[in-house]
Amino acid sequence: MSDSVSDCTEPRSAVTEAEVEALVHGICFKTGPPRTLGVEVEWFVHELRKPWLPAPPERLRAVYTALRTLPLRSALSVEPGGQLELSSAPATSLMECVGSVSADLDAVRTLLSEAGLGLSGYGHEPWNAPRRFLREPRYDAMERYLDRTGPEGRSMMCSSASVQVCLDAGYEEPGPLGHGRRWWLAHQLGAVLVAAFAHSPLSRGRSTGWRSTRQSLWSAMDPGRSSAPPLVGDPRASWVRRVMDAPVMCVRTGSGPWYVPDGLSFRDWTRSGAPPDRDDLEYHLTTLFPPIRPRGHLELRMIDAQPGDDGWIVPLAVTAALFDDPEAAETAYRTVKPLAERAGSLPPPRNALWVTAAREGLTDPELHEAAVACFAAAADALPRIGATDDVQEAVAEFTERYVARGRCPADDLLLQFHGNDTRSGGEDPRVHGKDMRS
């Protein structure tokens, strides 16, 4: 969510409605053979020995200043609540991506440990109320905008974390790796990924009734901003309409608080007496948060942050296998196609399929059956896309521990929560210490 955007408001040439539509149409899906892969991993930073205690703001500021001096290959950024994010550079293979991000995380953890701090992967902060760390015009405006529809926006900004997998859009032509098929598959398979990797059943020390509280926040937020566009017709045209009709979150100003309009769509803005420029369009695109966001590539945003130092590798590997291996992609497509009937007319994440995935995880029989088939297809494909034995073993262990048994990581947290004081221990029950990078 921490898209890097300039605060510069130098005068630029206004763009017309037709120009905006042409720009978005041209940049949202860059087609070609799927060759690159990326991942964005978000973490909560906490006291090393007492992980239920967040790091004080002054210590966060100091440690983030130090982290920015590290020679990382990933881009390091900070979320509004102080969450740390590493965004990989585009990698030419799964193992290049795993190796690069793992090395960066090793360096980050070493520096944090020296400061008495650690990282935890949860989809939603289990113990503490939302707390703003960053005080910047972008996030001040975002908070004012999202507060209009309820408290979910603040929780999303300050108390959520994810594993976001970035995939090439795919071929222009039809087929298992065609961009139209991948776009549709991402929205249907997304519900299976939500259910299998749900890891946020707690908020402020209490069970919320959702396996993925993080996903429940997205489904409750402003639909013009966090819902997928209709999945019928040409994906480019659907996304162009969504961009144009989405409400404008804020208009940047040279000084003072940014203006937060009420009910102004980007289309309306282009028709106004003070229309936006291209920089305004690029900024507007960063304020849209659908579960799959086309940014030239496809950004899959629905997976909760995972437990353990290397837990993020499993959703990355499974997702890459199911999209970039033609045989696995075809199996995944056939597997999730029947689930589309449960989705109904509402787009993700508000339709019945996605809500069930977030609330029930793999206890839902149809989602469980689909996950078993998809994880089996991913396991078969991993050697073909160059996954090492350690990565294959990690996926197999996750499959046995969770998918085969109709469970997800949230169920471990719920078991710990109901059986013990959630503040009584340090390590997550799934921290194995296995190095999967070789």
Side-chain angles (χ1 to χ4, degrees):
M1 191 184 67
S2 56
D3 302 86
S4 179
V5 178
S6 170
D7 289 352
C8 177
T9 55
E10 295 178 3
R12 295 173 181 262
S13 299
V15 288
T16 66
E17 181 177 353
E19 288 171 336
V20 170
E21 291 179 344
L23 284 168
V24 176
H25 192 277
I27 65 177
C28 57
F29 292 87
K30 296 185 184 301
T31 53
R35 293 195 176 109
T36 59
L37 175 71
V39 69
E40 301 173 18
V41 288
E42 297 171 344
W43 306 86
F44 295 104
V45 181
H46 55 75
E47 296 289 347
L48 188 60
R49 303 303 176 191
K50 298 179 179 180
W52 57 88
L53 296 180
E58 61 276 8
R59 291 178 66 198
L60 277 183
R61 282 189 286 271
V63 78
Y64 285 151
T65 298
L67 285 173
R68 290 189 174 95
T69 68
L70 295 176
L72 304 176
R73 284 170 285 184
S74 305
L76 184 147
S77 57
V78 180
E79 295 290 307
Q83 308 98 308
L84 182 145
E85 178 180 273
L86 288 181
S87 302
S88 74
T92 58
S93 70
L94 170 64
M95 293 316 302
E96 179 187 332
C97 188
V98 168
S100 174
V101 177
S102 295
D104 287 344
L105 281 168
D106 282 348
V108 167
R109 286 195 175 93
T110 297
L111 192 152
L112 288 174
S113 178
E114 292 171 353
L117 300 175
L119 297 177
S120 285
Y122 299 101
H124 189 275
E125 215 283 355
W127 298 294
N128 301 288
R131 181 189 64 165
R132 278 278 300 283
F133 170 70
L134 294 180
R135 294 292 171 180
E136 300 175 358
R138 169 181 171 87
Y139 298 120
D140 291 344
M142 183 182 294
E143 185 175 271
R144 292 199 307 275
Y145 176 90
L146 295 173
D147 279 351
R148 291 172 176 171
T149 55
E152 293 84 6
R154 289 197 184 205
S155 291
M156 176 274 293
M157 290 171 61
C158 302
S159 298
S160 69
S162 66
V163 176
Q164 299 181 16
V165 180
C166 299
L167 305 159
D168 284 335
Y171 288 98
E172 187 69 27
E173 299 79 13
L177 302 185
H179 78 282
R181 171 76 70 86
R182 285 161 76 87
W183 176 247
W184 184 91
L185 178 62
H187 288 87
Q188 307 305 331
L189 181 61
V192 179
L193 299 176
V194 168
F197 295 111
H199 187 228
S200 52
L202 306 175
S203 177
R204 307 192 196 194
R206 296 181 180 275
S207 174
T208 65
W210 297 81
R211 258 75 173 188
S212 178
T213 300
R214 173 182 172 272
Q215 195 59 47
S216 76
L217 300 176
W218 291 112
S219 64
M221 284 173 51
D222 172 20
R225 191 162 309 282
S226 61
S227 284
L231 301 180
V232 294
D234 175 51
R236 289 188 178 95
S238 294
W239 182 244
V240 168
R241 286 192 295 271
R242 168 48 52 89
V243 170
M244 295 298 293
D245 295 333
V248 175
M249 176 177 283
C250 56
V251 177
R252 294 166 296 167
T253 60
S255 61
W258 291 0
Y259 172 57
V260 180
D262 190 2
L264 175 73
S265 71
F266 201 84
R267 189 185 305 278
D268 292 338
W269 193 7
T270 64
R271 297 173 178 177
S272 72
D277 57 29
R278 181 164 180 169
D279 197 42
D280 292 318
L281 170 62
E282 291 173 355
Y283 182 82
H284 176 64
L285 292 172
T286 72
T287 70
L288 305 180
F289 310 125
I292 295 89
R293 185 163 64 174
R295 307 186 68 181
H297 58 274
L298 301 183
E299 183 183 79
L300 277 65
R301 304 168 53 85
M302 75 290 295
I303 300 170
D304 280 358
Q306 295 297 287
D309 287 356
D310 293 334
W312 58 275
I313 296 175
V314 175
L316 171 64
V318 169
T319 305
L322 293 176
F323 278 86
D324 288 351
D325 179 82
E327 184 178 336
E330 184 63 27
T331 298
Y333 173 76
R334 293 197 308 268
T335 298
V336 302
K337 195 172 183 179
L339 294 177
E341 296 180 6
R342 290 183 59 183
S345 59
L346 289 177
R350 287 171 177 77
N351 64 46
L353 178 65
W354 278 64
V355 171
T356 298
R359 189 186 297 276
E360 299 182 19
L362 295 185
T363 64
D364 178 82
E366 288 181 287
L367 285 166
H368 178 217
E369 182 180 359
V372 169
C374 287
F375 272 70
D380 289 342
L382 284 173
R384 296 194 292 269
I385 65 171
T388 61
D389 290 345
D390 283 338
V391 169
Q392 293 179 56
E393 182 181 345
V395 172
E397 288 179 357
F398 186 96
T399 302
E400 172 60 26
R401 183 182 183 95
Y402 297 118
V403 178
R405 303 179 185 183
R407 302 177 71 249
C408 60
D411 292 310
D412 279 353
L413 276 181
L414 289 170
L415 181 62
Q416 181 187 9
F417 176 71
H418 289 301
N420 304 285
D421 184 348
T422 56
R423 304 193 183 208
S424 64
E427 284 192 333
D428 186 279
R430 281 198 70 247
V431 176
H432 300 301
K434 173 178 283 292
D435 190 326
M436 297 181 288
R437 290 162 275 173
S438 57

